């Protein structure tokens, strides 16, 4: 375990590795493992730098929300958001993941506000690579809220931009959103 090897001389790196592993466990459907890893990352204590602390708080908050411990998870997500605002270094990858965790907690308008800000900034600055992830999560959110036309447009744009920027995993996520929308609309399989 790489985190255990570096924890004594680089606790920031150890915390980051554990938090990333927790996020990957969520993607793999291993919620118990995700919660265990995020809790281990948090147990490294205070004194982590801002970015490592942000990643740990976000990871633990998301895992807690998915485990049904909404209020506890929201406390960590709010702390992560405060850190994100403080760091404010164009950390769109962290911001969209945080917005997704708010979506899981059914804080839809808050999630939408964060995602809209990412998309607006990315379009204004020409940061095309930042768009696929935020658009895919927006698509998921809009599907859930019943605006299927907008959700389809967002997922389509996300898929196209992911392909154009070589972001295969996000392209797959966008395709999943499109398939979900097609199935919900009763479209025949192709």
């Amino acid at each position: 375990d790489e985190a255990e090897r570096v924890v004594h001389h680089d606790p920031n790196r150890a915390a980051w590795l554990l938090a990333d592993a927790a996020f990957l466990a969520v993607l793999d459907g291993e919620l118990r493992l995700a919660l265990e890893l995020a809790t281990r990352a948090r147990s490294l204590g205070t004194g982590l730098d801002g970015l490592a602390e942000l990643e740990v708080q976000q990871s633990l908050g998301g895992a807690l929300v998915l485990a049904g411990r909404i209020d506890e998870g929201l406390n960590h997500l709010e702390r992560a958001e405060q850190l994100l605002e403080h760091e404010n270094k164009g950390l769109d990858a962290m911001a969209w993941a945080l917005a997704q965790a708010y979506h899981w907690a059914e804080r839809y308008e808050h999630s939408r506000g964060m995602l809209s800000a990412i998309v607006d900034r990315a379009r204004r600055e020409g940061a095309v690579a930042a768009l696929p992830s935020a658009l895919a999560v927006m698509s998921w959110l809009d599907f859930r809220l019943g605006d299927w036309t907008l959700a389809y447009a967002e997922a389509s744009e996300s898929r196209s931009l992911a392909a154009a920027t070589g972001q295969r995993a996000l392209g797959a996520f966008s395709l999943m959103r499109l398939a979900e929308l097609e199935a919900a609309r009763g479209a025949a399989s192709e």
Side-chain angles (χ1 to χ4, degrees):
D1 183 46
E2 182 66 19
E4 296 302 323
R5 283 196 287 269
V6 300
V7 70
H8 297 296
H9 66 277
D10 194 348
N12 285 306
R13 181 174 178 205
W16 195 285
L17 289 168
L18 288 166
D20 271 356
F23 180 72
L24 293 173
V26 164
L27 295 179
D28 202 31
E30 297 288 340
L31 190 52
R32 185 174 298 178
L33 176 61
L35 197 49
E36 176 187 317
L37 291 166
T39 301
R40 279 178 53 203
R42 184 69 203 118
S43 74
L44 294 179
T46 59
L48 296 176
D49 71 28
L51 292 177
E53 179 68 14
L54 191 162
E55 182 74 6
V56 168
Q57 292 289 346
Q58 176 177 299
S59 179
L60 182 55
L64 286 165
V65 163
L66 289 172
R69 295 162 57 182
I70 307 296
D71 290 337
E72 190 178 353
L74 284 171
N75 287 333
H76 291 282
L77 295 178
E78 289 165 5
R79 176 66 182 133
E81 190 172 3
Q82 291 169 355
L83 290 164
L84 183 67
E85 290 169 3
H86 176 52
E87 293 295 327
N88 197 18
K89 297 177 182 173
L91 302 170
D92 291 333
M94 290 181 154
W96 77 258
L98 183 58
Q100 180 174 287
Y102 275 113
H103 172 194
W104 295 335
E106 299 182 353
R107 299 305 193 264
Y108 301 125
E109 290 310 312
H110 192 77
S111 178
R112 180 187 307 285
M114 293 180 74
L115 292 165
S116 293
I118 295 166
V119 169
D120 291 347
R121 183 175 53 249
R123 290 188 195 287
R124 187 174 56 253
E125 296 174 3
V128 177
L131 288 168
S133 52
L135 288 168
V137 175
M138 284 180 84
S139 173
W140 194 5
L141 177 66
D142 286 322
F143 171 72
R144 185 130 188 220
L145 295 177
D147 192 342
W148 293 4
T149 302
L150 181 57
Y152 197 89
E154 291 161 342
S156 295
E157 184 180 6
S158 174
R159 179 176 173 251
S160 296
L161 292 172
T165 57
Q167 298 180 62
R168 288 185 187 189
L170 287 170
F173 184 60
S174 300
L175 274 175
M176 186 172 70
R177 300 274 59 85
L178 289 167
E180 184 178 52
L181 284 156
E182 292 288 340
R185 292 185 348 195
S189 62
E190 295 178 24

